[in-house]
Amino acid sequence: MKFKKWNISKPEERDVALLRSAGYPYLLSTVLAARGVTTPEGAAEYLERDRSLTISPMLMRDMDKAVSRIQRAISDGETIAVFGDYDVDGITSTVLLLDYLKSCGAHCLRYIPRRIEDGYGLSKDAIKGLHNQGATLMITVDCGITGNDEVDFANSLGLDVVVTDHHECKEELPRAVAVVDPHRPDCHYPFKHLAGCGVALKLVLALGGENREDALFARYCTLAAIGTIADVMRMEGENRTIVSCGLEALPHTDFVGIHALLKEAGLLGKPITSIQIGFVLSPRINAAGRMGAADLAADLLEADDPAQAELLAKRLCDLNRERQAVEQAICADAIGQIEKLRSEERSALVLSSEAWHQGVVGIVASRLSEKYSCPSFMIYLKDGTGKGSCRSYGGFNLFAALDACSDLLEGFGGHELAAGFTIQESNIDAFRQRMNRYVRSAMDGELPVSSLDIDAAITSPGEVTLDQVESLSHLEPYGAGNSRPVFALLGATVDSIQSVGQGRHLKLRLSKGTSRFDAIFFSVTEEECGITAGSRVDAAFYLQANTFRGTTTLQLQLIDIRPSLTPSRHEAADLELLHRLLDGGPVSSQETARLRASREQYAACWVALERQLRQGKLEEERLPYLRRLAVRTGGNESFLRTALALTVFQERGLISLHVQGDAMTLCLNPARGKVDLNACPYLVRLRDAANRNRGDQP
């Protein structure tokens, strides 16, 4: 089980029925109702997609100053430098703005930092180099908002700076000609969640003027969509418009590099959704920056020669494969370090090494945050200085946390969920201790557990068809705030399970009632899964159409699977009988026989319990634990008799047993000498009933 907690929404049946009566399909109605959309009018509004950006870019603070200075530079023939960032958002922002400026006849320079040599954000060496090449105006995209010293340095050289960014601001803004960032406190732009490429797009629309907004949006929405998806921005408001229009325009984009990358990734000619952008296209663009070759990705997106674009796309995909291998090695090393940490050092994982690749530590931090349910800080060390990348978990605000530890840092930047920092190696231990204390304090001592949000459990598996799955596309594009729907199948049976993909993945066949489903569980082995054929399970999954050799079938893409927390019909009947016995209700002679266990069965149950609880308290889901213990106890009616045995042990004071919802806490009590199980009132009642039944027989 990957997630310790499943949060399963339970939409009201009447809400689902109302939406279905208005013509919305079963699955779509279920997801809408689970997300609080309960009327046909609300559904129509929720699913509506704007075709254009309706908020004027001039509402953004300093946009007028930025436009004025850039237009003057274009008309006067100045050299304009665009200073970007090495991630997908920064690369698409850079290419978007450069393409527009060049279309206006501007002479431009491009600078994208090398992640390893230059690090994140502005640098004085880079600024000096651009100035030496004749730049008189520098425009930052997706960076610069915390580069106060660097902007001052540019000013001292006579190089004007326009900052465009979307990251969190420090208290003091850079002293630039214009600072365009919707997060600055005095900016009243109503939509705060634009990516860096979204801000760059708004700048281009402002430069072009109202009359050209539609044409410019049509040209650049695809680039902006890729950057917005990759930066995991909230998929609402203007971002939803940018991404939905960008995906629609993707097959017809004028950027030949995008077509070449789609072809190399095996997506050319196939329907492209936000899922393919996020999990196939973006990692390939991002790999260039991670491996210190961000200019390669920018060259690809700027390419106008198809042959050159194909060559660059191939090199980009090769880099991505190299990145994957490096990532796996770093992850294994990091997990080894985590196993050596003390418990008080696991609220925030602060890890470091000289052997790691600086460009890949960020993505490993993401993996670790998900695996261990806490913020992760990965630090690459060189010559006594550490370059760190960190990722959040459970909504923890990284920017505020780094600010609270700023006296231990050389510098930092980013936003709530992802950030970077520089630290001296000598400060890492102190940083680890303070960050762990900060996390525990911020969470009020309640550290987050890994949890999975599920839209709904499927109550009518027979209605889940390919057409129903297709109807979910109306919810696209997916992203933060509008996640891909997750469903659960509770109390299913594993008909078969087998390893595929050279043992890296699992293929399963699940059934519930008369319905059968094929399922795939990526990057999970049989040993990790812990499920066998015949098991009763709960499955959480995405629904998808899978095309193989020209045939399209329905498939469950598993996210998690666990021993079922819902009782089968027989288990439910057994538990009802047990509760009736405990409450003093009527128990028939046949039921009495089912409940009565032999001395050997109680002994076997006790031996198994004692062996498990010797190390201390046990916290488990109750039903799966009862099933496993029953298998060890053996015999007919083992589930029922095992449940009764635990109750008897509890009543006799041998164990402490606490049940809350699906969870159970179990521990051994201190020994108090010999205990007579036969004196338990529940067993006395069963003996009396058995004696009466024998007396009633002729």
Side-chain angles (χ1 to χ4, degrees), residues 130-143:
L130 293 170
H131 176 260
N132 290 342
Q133 293 178 68
T136 53
L137 172 64
M138 181 177 77
I139 308 170
T140 75
V141 288
D142 191 36
C143 66

Side-chain angles (χ1 to χ4, degrees), residues 71 100 203-213 216:
Q71 287 180 336
Y100 173 77
L203 173 62
V204 165
L205 297 182
L207 287 166
E210 291 185 17
N211 293 335
R212 296 189 62 203
E213 275 194 11
L216 291 173

Side-chain angles (χ1 to χ4, degrees), residues 29 82 90 92 128 147 158 256 270 273 317 489 497 507 541:
S29 297
V82 176
T92 53
K128 185 176 181 180
V256 299
K270 297 181 180 179
T273 69
C317 290
L489 196 62
I497 181 169
K507 184 178 181 181
F541 50 85

Side-chain angles (χ1 to χ4, degrees), residues 121 292 394 407 486 562 570 614:
D407 59 303
V486 178
R562 68 185 185 189
H570 296 300
R614 200 172 292 152

